[in-house]
Amino acid sequence: MKGTAKAHTNIALIKYWGKRNEKLILPTNSSLSVTLDGLHTETTVQFREDLQEDVFVLDNKEVTGVAYDRVTNYLDLFRHYANKQGVFAEVTSTNNVPTAAGFASSASGFAALAGATSKALDLQLSDEDLSRFTRQGSGSACRSIYGGFVEWQMGERDDGQDSFAVQVAPQDHWDIRVAAVVLTAEEKDVSSRVGMRRTVETSVFYDGWLQSLPKDMETIKEGIRDKDFEMVGKVAEANCLKMHATTFGATPPFTYWQDTTMSLMQTVQNLRKKEIPAYFTIDAGPNVKVIYLPEYEKEVLRTLEAARGVEKVIVSKVGAGISYK
Ligand code: PMV
């Protein structure tokens, strides 16, 4: 009744931004990400007959409150599926992703939790099934089951059976780099959950966002297949800006950006003026991720580290999928 799994976080190049079903976590659009080797969560789940409730320990600290509730509610899904109601678990996680700062720690977190739980219960799930389960913990996490380049296919069904992630290209297909630029370690004001709901319900730009997505998806897949960095970078950066534009059109309007976020976007665009191909993307937080090719690493890192407001730069290669101990 014990399982351990390690999963990496992922960064979306085509963003998931909106749910059509909040309970099952079904998205309004398909999304595409790169799995990152630098940022991961390792989780052990042990179901124990002697426990009266679940216990969740993250980085050696016992977790209570909302984060605890999310984990224990999520374990209920598995208990229900495996007919183990009333059997509680000790969940122990270590995380090297700064929590709630736009780094999708929930992605590696829920992927590792789903993997470890399914091992602990010996469920023998296929990757597809595991991705479906993971989706219900945190949407973007369903892409972290696989390494390389991954698409979360939105699906159409109301029960979510056709909403899961698939690998588009394996880890060794293409050596691109992602620099995660930490501008602030503060907790964000508007969670992705709240931000998505507000934009879906109120943003005057939301329809434009949705309409532009099929073309972005087609272009990025072609770019990944052909290893056309400019094609991939351009569409990823534009997709990110469109996603963030929806927040300006919401009621009340909001943004995840800080002044240093915008100044870093300009720094990246200035790199291109010097013929250095680098593009940015940003999730539901102020931090910026920069994609570039390995041959430009020195120059890109030197520039990012010297930029205003930068606390830390974490470099990742394309990462592997979920693994077990
Ligand atoms: O899965 P969540 O609730 O952490 O939402 C993630 C949303 C974005 O990071 C902004 C985009 C994405 O596709 O990862």
Side-chain angles (χ1 to χ4, degrees), residues 204-230:
V204 293
F205 303 141
Y206 198 70
D207 281 348
W209 156 253
L210 286 182
Q211 275 166 28
S212 73
L213 284 160
K215 182 86 188 100
D216 283 2
M217 186 59 94
E218 191 188 313
T219 309
I220 204 150
K221 283 199 208 164
E222 198 181 317
I224 291 168
R225 187 196 61 207
D226 299 344
K227 302 184 198 174
D228 183 334
F229 189 75
E230 198 184 326

Side-chain angles (χ1 to χ4, degrees), residues 10 12 14-17 19 31 70 104 106 138-141 143 192-193 196 243 282-284:
N10 68 76
I14 302 294
K15 304 294 185 192
Y16 145 55
W17 194 241
K19 296 179 180 67
S31 53
R70 241 182 122 180
S106 66
S138 161
S140 56
R143 298 182 306 236
S192 55
R193 193 166 285 213
M196 267 183 217
M243 176 204 126
I282 303 159
D283 281 338

Side-chain angles (χ1 to χ4, degrees), residues 60 65 67 69 86 109 147 162 165 178 209-210 244 247 278-279 283 290 292 303 317 323:
N60 293 317
D69 292 345
D162 56 354
V178 180
W209 156 253
L210 286 182
H244 286 270
T247 71
Y279 296 84
D283 281 338
V290 181
Y292 59 91
T303 306
K317 295 183 182 178
S323 60

Side-chain angles (χ1 to χ4, degrees), residues 51-287:
L51 289 176
Q52 304 305 311
E53 57 181 13
D54 295 320
V55 179
F56 175 34
V57 178
L58 175 63
D59 293 328
N60 293 317
K61 275 193 227 101
E62 188 163 347
V63 178
T64 54
V66 179
Y68 171 82
D69 292 345
R70 241 182 122 180
V71 166
T72 183
N73 290 338
Y74 185 62
L75 289 175
D76 283 344
L77 265 182
F78 282 90
R79 278 190 276 262
H80 179 76
Y81 179 84
N83 218 355
K84 288 268 188 258
Q85 282 94 340
V87 186
F88 297 102
E90 182 178 23
V91 178
T92 316
S93 283
T94 50
N95 205 350
N96 80 339
V97 188
T99 305
F103 278 99
S105 61
S106 66
S108 55
F110 276 98
L113 179 61
T117 308
S118 74
K119 278 288 164 212
L121 296 170
D122 195 23
L123 297 181
Q124 318 265 347
L125 299 178
S126 65
D127 283 349
E128 220 177 89
D129 284 333
L130 187 61
S131 175
R132 252 190 232 109
F133 260 110
T134 306
R135 187 198 77 222
Q136 295 175 72
S138 161
S140 56
C142 80
R143 298 182 306 236
S144 274
I145 300 304
Y146 308 89
F149 298 81
V150 182
E151 180 185 1
W152 174 10
Q153 300 177 336
M154 64 177 284
E156 286 170 358
R157 288 171 54 153
D158 289 340
D159 65 3
Q161 282 305 303
D162 56 354
S163 187
F164 52 83
V166 297
Q167 192 178 57
V168 169
Q171 185 184 12
D172 61 2
H173 168 69
W174 193 16
D175 183 16
I176 67 165
R177 302 287 159 90
V178 180
V181 184
V182 182
L183 292 169
T184 168
E186 282 170 31
E187 301 266 322
K188 57 197 179 192
D189 293 342
V190 184
S191 67
S192 55
R193 193 166 285 213
V194 170
M196 267 183 217
R197 187 184 304 144
R198 196 187 299 171
T199 35
V200 171
E201 286 173 1
T202 68
S203 179
V204 293
F205 303 141
Y206 198 70
D207 281 348
W209 156 253
L210 286 182
Q211 275 166 28
S212 73
L213 284 160
K215 182 86 188 100
D216 283 2
M217 186 59 94
E218 191 188 313
T219 309
I220 204 150
K221 283 199 208 164
E222 198 181 317
I224 291 168
R225 187 196 61 207
D226 299 344
K227 302 184 198 174
D228 183 334
F229 189 75
E230 198 184 326
M231 193 170 183
V232 168
K234 267 189 180 159
V235 68
E237 194 172 291
N239 185 270
C240 154
L241 289 170
K242 278 185 285 193
M243 176 204 126
H244 286 270
T246 67
T247 71
F248 291 98
T251 311
F254 65 106
T255 181
Y256 291 106
W257 299 349
Q258 296 183 357
D259 63 333
T260 43
T261 312
M262 292 186 72
S263 130
L264 207 83
M265 292 191 231
Q266 230 157 31
T267 303
V268 174
Q269 285 167 342
N270 286 340
L271 276 170
R272 297 209 291 273
K273 288 191 188 140
K274 292 196 283 177
E275 307 295 321
I276 296 168
Y279 296 84
F280 64 78
T281 187
I282 303 159
D283 281 338
N287 297 315

